[in-house]
């Protein structure tokens, strides 16, 4: 059993990784760095700004709406961060955006004061380097790396105010250090979620409140590709039925539709991703509510889902070539399996089934069509849980699955990180060189 000290460390880890966010976290991360750099200069907005980003940040920030603006991409996020963003808000840095701020930000963009480019030597897949220049020539610099809110360097007017070396994330010891000294296994995740005193884990219920509310608010608008609305309309009900399964899919995609389109609706994120937070929350919450599980069972299932996702991301890294819905929907499959009455054995079966099915789903940037990927992941989560409860699971003679579920997770990580790096480069090449009607050379 876990000790009180281990439970406290895991609680701190979850509280750090499961936080509210407004808007896609990649442009918001850049807006946060820009806000802090402008705060250091005490000139808002500064005369000009230079932004250098890792490929993964660039990829995930190109195609998403920025909350409250009706605009897409990095320039508006940076301009708003420097003018009205407040760094103490973290992933809600753009909370104070209003119409006047958007108008002023548009004017700033049109002046050509923002220089955005790729950091060719970025030491981490999550890396944002922002340099602001004041009208009197003073400069400030803020660097974020490893995590969306982790500022590792601050300087102003030639004076370094804080600095932290960017360390490689390859070793398990370093990953544990970055995650508060917690080295998780699926067994530890299970024990923490199912055996901890209820009052220690009830804070996870806020994820249910926020993310189900986001789905409800999405119904009031027309966001993204409106997948959630399509699933909840007569045609969708006619094809999928008015069932628990269709409700799970529509709730998940509704929240994603709104978030990716830039609706100013907060969601509870997981491991720096709002979509992962939605994917780890809504399927579990809808299943529990419609299956008449108890409030305690729902709390424990939500914790199991979110902590499973955190565990996998602890090894995968915050950003990767593998779509984050693979990780988060694996968590939701564990939560649903628990709500079906499954024990640790069945939960481990669900993980094996998920890895066997979804490994290889690429991340081609954050965008409205992410709702399609989340829905694919969540539908697989339900099917994997059903099979697990029947004692069915993919075995070690099949594909990358190992008899040891933790080794299967490590196999997933191996495919999703280094093995897919070339895929990541090819995806970025395609995304940054698209021309209407023009064929592309191979990557």
């Amino acid at each position: 059993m876990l000790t009180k000290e281990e439970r406290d460390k895991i609680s701190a880890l979850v509280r750090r990784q499961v936080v509210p966010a407004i808007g896609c976290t990649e442009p918001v991360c850049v807006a946060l760095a820009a806000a802090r750099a402008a705060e250091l200069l005490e000139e808002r907005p500064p005369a000009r700004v230079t932004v250098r980003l890792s490929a993964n940040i660039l990829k995930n920030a190109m195609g998403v709406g920025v909350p409250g603006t009706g605009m897409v991409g990095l320039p508006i996020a940076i301009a708003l961060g420097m003018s009205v963003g407040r760094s103490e808000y973290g992933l809600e840095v753009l909370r104070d955006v209003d119409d006047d701020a958007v108008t002023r930000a548009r004017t700033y963009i049109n002046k050509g004061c923002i220089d955005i480019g790729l950091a060719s030597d970025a030491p981490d897949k999550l890396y944002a380097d922002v340099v602001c220049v004041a009208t009197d020539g003073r400069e400030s610099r803020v660097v974020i790396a490893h995590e969306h809110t982790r500022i590792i360097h601050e300087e102003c007017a030639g004076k370094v105010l804080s600095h932290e070396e960017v360390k490689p994330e390859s070793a398990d010891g370093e990953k544990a250090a970055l995650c508060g000294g917690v080295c998780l296994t699926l067994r530890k995740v299970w024990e923490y979620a199912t055996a901890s005193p209820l009052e220690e884990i009830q804070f996870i219920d806020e994820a249910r409140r926020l993310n189900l509310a986001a789905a409800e608010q999405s119904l009031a608008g027309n966001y993204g590709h409106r997948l959630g609305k399509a699933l909840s309309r007569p045609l969708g009900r006619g094809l999928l039925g008015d069932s628990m399964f269709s409700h799970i899919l529509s709730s998940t995609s509704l929240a994603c539709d709104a978030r990716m389109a830039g609706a100013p609706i907060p969601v509870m994120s997981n491991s720096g991703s709002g979509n992962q937070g939605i994917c780890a929350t809504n399927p579990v919450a809808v299943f529990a509510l419609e299956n008449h599980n108890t409030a305690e069972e729902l709390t424990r299932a939500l914790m199991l889902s979110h902590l499973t996702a955190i565990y996998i991301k602890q090894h995968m890294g915050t950003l990767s070539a593998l779509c984050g819905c693979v990780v988060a929907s694996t968590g939701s499959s564990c939560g649903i399996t628990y709500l079906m009455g499954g024990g640790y054995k069945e939960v481990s079966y669900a993980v094996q089934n998920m890895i066997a099915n979804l490994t290889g789903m690429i991340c081609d940037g954050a965008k409205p069509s992410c709702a399609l990927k989340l829905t694919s992941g969540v539908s697989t989560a339900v099917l994997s849980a059903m099979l697990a409860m029947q004692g069915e699971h993919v075995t070690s003679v099949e594909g990358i699955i190992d008899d040891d579920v933790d080794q299967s997770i490590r196999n997933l990580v191996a495919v999703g990180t280094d093995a897919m790096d070339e895929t990541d480069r090819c995806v970025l090449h395609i995304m940054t060189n698209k021309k209407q009607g023009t064929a592309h050379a191979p990557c």
Side-chain angles (χ1 to χ4, degrees), residues 142-158:
V142 171
V143 179
I144 289 179
H146 288 316
E147 299 171 351
H148 290 80
T149 58
R150 186 168 181 162
I151 295 175
I152 65 161
H153 183 87
E154 289 185 341
E155 66 177 85
C156 186

Side-chain angles (χ1 to χ4, degrees), residues 2 6-7 9-11 13-14 17 172 175-176 179 181-193 303-304 306-315 406 409-410:
L2 295 170
E6 287 177 308
R7 295 203 313 271
K9 285 184 177 180
I10 294 173
S11 293
L13 171 63
V14 177
Q17 297 291 348
D172 283 348
K175 291 191 181 82
C179 295
V182 181
C183 283
L184 294 171
T185 63
L186 190 64
R187 173 66 75 175
K188 287 183 179 180
V189 169
W190 168 261
E191 289 181 2
Y192 176 80
M303 183 57 75
L304 179 60
H306 276 274
L307 189 54
T308 299
I310 291 169
Y311 165 38
I312 299 173
K313 292 297 287 185
Q314 192 179 43
H315 294 273
D406 292 294
I409 290 172
R410 288 191 287 272

Side-chain angles (χ1 to χ4, degrees), residues 22-29 60-61 64-67 259-260 272 274 366-367:
I22 298 177
C24 178
T25 49
E26 273 68 63
V28 166
C29 164
N60 283 343
V64 289
V66 175
R259 182 174 175 273
M260 290 290 93
K367 59 208 176 301

